[in-house]
């Protein structure tokens, strides 16, 4: 208790000395020491007065300073304590991109192998599709989007704040199937009819979050999936690679040419009832116009087209054959097989003409119209 009291008194006297050093000129060091001794002696009581000399004062002050930080530089030591550096912030991303570019075109933006129009096409960016800008090279940007890496003209790519603003306007919430077979239903209930099934990894555009269920779009139709079996994320459309189009052995020149002809319209608009490959078509309008170019005339209806030609097994499909999909009550969508397990089709107003996995939905049937 006594030591603690000494320390408290010493701290008070240090403060008094600092105040006196600022406010009162000191002319006699000895008088100051005597004054300190007197004050301490009076404060500590008569029983301590005889023992508190100059050495005692020094001892009390030293002990107090030691407890406060050591050698009279406690305040300085505290002030110089190292400041912990803040963790560096992760780069801000928009729909998964850190240096976002968005295709600012009417239909699609060509992606080339090099920075110049003389280079071969390696893919296409649909209107409002997103990409990561990797570098700039004399009026061209090197970009990466989906499985495509190449160059696009900088004049046709939104960047910076303009790209961020556009992304907010056109991004969609995508529900990615996280199960081997995702049931897509006509109503948000396990008691409702299965409209179609989707393969694992396939993506659906989310229209509304209903809690345990999501309203989604599949090829322009509204249906429902259980939220527990999908993964949600904000996304922009991605580039489509032309190298995805591969042909198997024994495919005729007509089939190869048909695929090349159809794929030049990738990225063009979907229009319900439309019959223009450049200004807008729906799914059956697309296949109708492709086949018309090769002298085969099909009706403008997916269910009617399925009734023409010869039905085959999906495992026997060749480029140019048509895949038909249903909605639980009948056929409602058609796509053209292009080889390598893929189809090209006019999917919806949101995506336009695109390439998909042939089994992104379970096909109802596959039909052949061309002879071998």
């Amino acid at each position: 208790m006594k030591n603690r009291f000494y320390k408290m008194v010493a701290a008070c006297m240090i403060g008094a000395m600092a105040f006196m050093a600022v406010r009162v000129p000191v002319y006699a060091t000895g008088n100051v020491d005597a004054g300190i001794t007197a004050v301490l002696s009076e404060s500590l009581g008569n029983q301590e007065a005889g023992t508190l000399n100059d050495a005692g004062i020094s001892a009390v002050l030293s002990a107090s300073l030691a407890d406060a930080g050591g050698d009279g530089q406690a305040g300085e030591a505290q002030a110089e304590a190292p400041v912990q550096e803040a963790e560096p912030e992760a780069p801000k991303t928009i729909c998964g991109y850190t240096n976002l570019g968005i295709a600012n075109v009417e239909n699609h933006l060509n992606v080339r192998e090099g920075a110049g129009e003389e280079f071969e096409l390696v893919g296409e960016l649909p209107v409002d599709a997103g990409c990561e800008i990797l570098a700039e090279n004399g009026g061209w940007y090197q970009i990466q989007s989906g499985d495509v890496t190449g160059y696009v003209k900088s004049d046709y790519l939104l960047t910076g704040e303009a790209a961020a603003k556009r992304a907010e306007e056109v991004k969609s919430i995508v529900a990615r199937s996280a199960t081997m077979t995702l049931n897509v239903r006509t109503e948000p209930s396990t008691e409702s009819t299965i409209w179609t099934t989707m393969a694992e990894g396939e993506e659906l555009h989310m229209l509304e979050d209903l809690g345990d269920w999501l309203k989604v779009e599949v090829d322009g139709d509204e249906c429902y999936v259980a939220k527990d079996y999908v993964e949600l994320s904000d996304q922009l459309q991605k580039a489509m690679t032309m190298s995805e189009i591969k042909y198997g052995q024994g495919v005729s020149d007509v089939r190869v040419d048909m695929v090349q002809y159809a794929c030049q319209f990738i990225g063009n608009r979907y229009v319900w009832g439309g019959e223009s490959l450049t200004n807008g078509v729906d799914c059956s309008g697309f296949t109708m116009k492709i086949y018309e170019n090769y002298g085969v005339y099909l009706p403008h209806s997916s269910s009617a087209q399925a009734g023409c030609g010869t039905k085959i097994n999906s495992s026997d499909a060749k480029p140019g054959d048509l895949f038909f999909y249903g909605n639980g009550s009948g056929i409602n969508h058609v796509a053209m097989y292009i080889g390598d397990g893929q189809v090209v089709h006019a999917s919806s107003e949101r995506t336009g003409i695109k390439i998909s996995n042939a089994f992104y939905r379970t096909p109802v049937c596959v039909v052949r119209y061309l002879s071998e």
Side-chain angles (χ1 to χ4, degrees):
M1 181 66 75
K2 183 188 297 182
N3 289 338
R4 185 176 179 185
F5 183 77
Y6 281 173
K7 293 173 183 177
M8 291 174 60
V9 173
C12 292
M13 293 311 300
I14 291 170
M17 290 173 67
F19 178 82
M20 290 171 64
V22 175
R23 294 289 187 179
V24 182
V26 178
Y27 301 103
T29 303
N31 291 338
V32 173
D33 290 343
I36 294 172
T37 302
V39 173
L40 286 175
S41 297
E42 183 176 351
S43 299
L44 294 173
N46 293 333
Q47 70 273 22
E48 304 292 345
T51 62
L52 191 61
N53 53 23
D54 289 349
I57 294 172
S58 297
V60 171
L61 293 177
S62 295
S64 178
L65 290 172
D67 286 345
D71 58 357
Q73 298 177 349
E76 183 179 348
Q78 290 175 358
E80 292 179 355
V83 178
Q84 188 174 7
E85 295 184 3
E87 290 285 339
E89 293 186 4
K92 182 180 178 181
T93 63
I94 301 174
C95 297
Y97 300 102
T98 56
N99 190 13
L100 174 66
I102 292 185
N104 186 28
V105 289
E106 184 174 344
N107 285 320
H108 58 264
L109 177 58
N110 289 331
V111 185
R112 297 187 178 273
E113 190 177 21
E117 293 186 358
E118 69 274 18
F119 290 95
E120 293 292 328
L121 289 176
V122 294
E124 293 178 344
L125 273 176
V127 56
D128 292 328
C131 65
E132 185 75 25
I133 299 175
L134 305 176
E136 186 174 6
N137 185 354
W140 292 76
Y141 285 124
Q142 184 186 26
I143 62 98
Q144 193 277 325
S145 178
D147 294 326
V148 176
T149 300
Y151 292 82
V152 298
K153 280 190 173 181
S154 58
D155 292 343
Y156 302 108
L157 206 65
L158 296 177
T159 62
E161 290 299 322
K165 181 178 179 181
R166 186 61 178 159
E168 285 298 316
E169 297 169 351
V170 301
K171 72 179 182 181
S172 60
I173 301 177
V174 170
R176 181 184 177 88
S177 172
T179 184
M180 185 173 295
T181 302
L182 177 67
N183 290 330
V184 183
R185 298 182 179 271
T186 56
E187 297 294 337
S189 166
T190 55
E191 303 300 319
S192 65
T193 302
I194 296 176
W195 188 85
T196 190
T197 56
M198 307 290 289
E200 185 173 10
E202 291 299 325
E203 297 178 345
L204 304 89
H205 174 56
M206 192 192 85
L207 301 175
E208 187 178 356
D209 190 336
L210 303 175
D212 293 336
W213 291 83
L214 302 174
K215 181 190 286 187
V216 297
E217 176 194 54
V218 179
D219 297 326
D221 289 315
E222 296 180 0
C223 37
Y224 302 86
V225 295
K227 186 187 289 186
D228 288 343
Y229 300 103
V230 298
E231 298 170 349
L232 298 177
S233 63
D234 288 341
Q235 287 192 22
L236 298 168
Q237 290 192 74
K238 299 179 180 68
M240 293 166 286
T241 174
M242 305 310 289
S243 64
E244 291 174 337
I245 304 170
K246 299 177 182 178
Y247 314 106
Q249 293 183 348
V251 177
S252 68
D253 290 341
V254 172
R255 290 181 180 273
V256 171
D257 189 72
M258 178 179 283
V259 169
Q260 292 174 336
Y261 178 69
C263 287
Q264 70 178 299
F265 303 109
I266 290 172
N268 287 0
R269 293 193 303 148
Y270 174 100
V271 174
W272 174 256
E275 296 185 2
S276 172
L277 293 171
T278 54
N279 296 322
V281 288
D282 58 13
C283 65
S284 59
F286 176 69
T287 52
M288 179 185 73
K289 298 304 288 186
I290 296 299
Y291 267 88
E292 183 180 296
N293 191 61
Y294 294 87
V296 178
Y297 298 93
L298 300 175
H300 192 171
S301 161
S302 57
S303 58
Q305 287 180 7
C308 305
T310 303
K311 289 183 172 59
I312 61 172
N313 292 326
S314 60
S315 59
D316 296 328
K318 293 183 178 182
D321 294 336
L322 299 187
F323 275 60
F324 292 89
Y325 306 90
N327 61 359
S329 59
I331 290 171
N332 76 327
H333 192 68
V334 58
M336 192 179 85
Y337 190 64
I338 59 175
D340 198 33
Q342 296 179 309
V343 292
V344 60
H345 58 137
S347 176
S348 68
E349 290 182 359
R350 186 179 67 87
T351 61
I353 300 172
K354 60 180 283 189
I355 291 175
S356 297
N357 185 311
F359 299 91
Y360 78 106
R361 292 169 61 181
T362 303
V364 174
C365 63
V366 180
V367 178
R368 176 168 293 165
Y369 306 92
L370 299 176
S371 63
E372 298 302 324

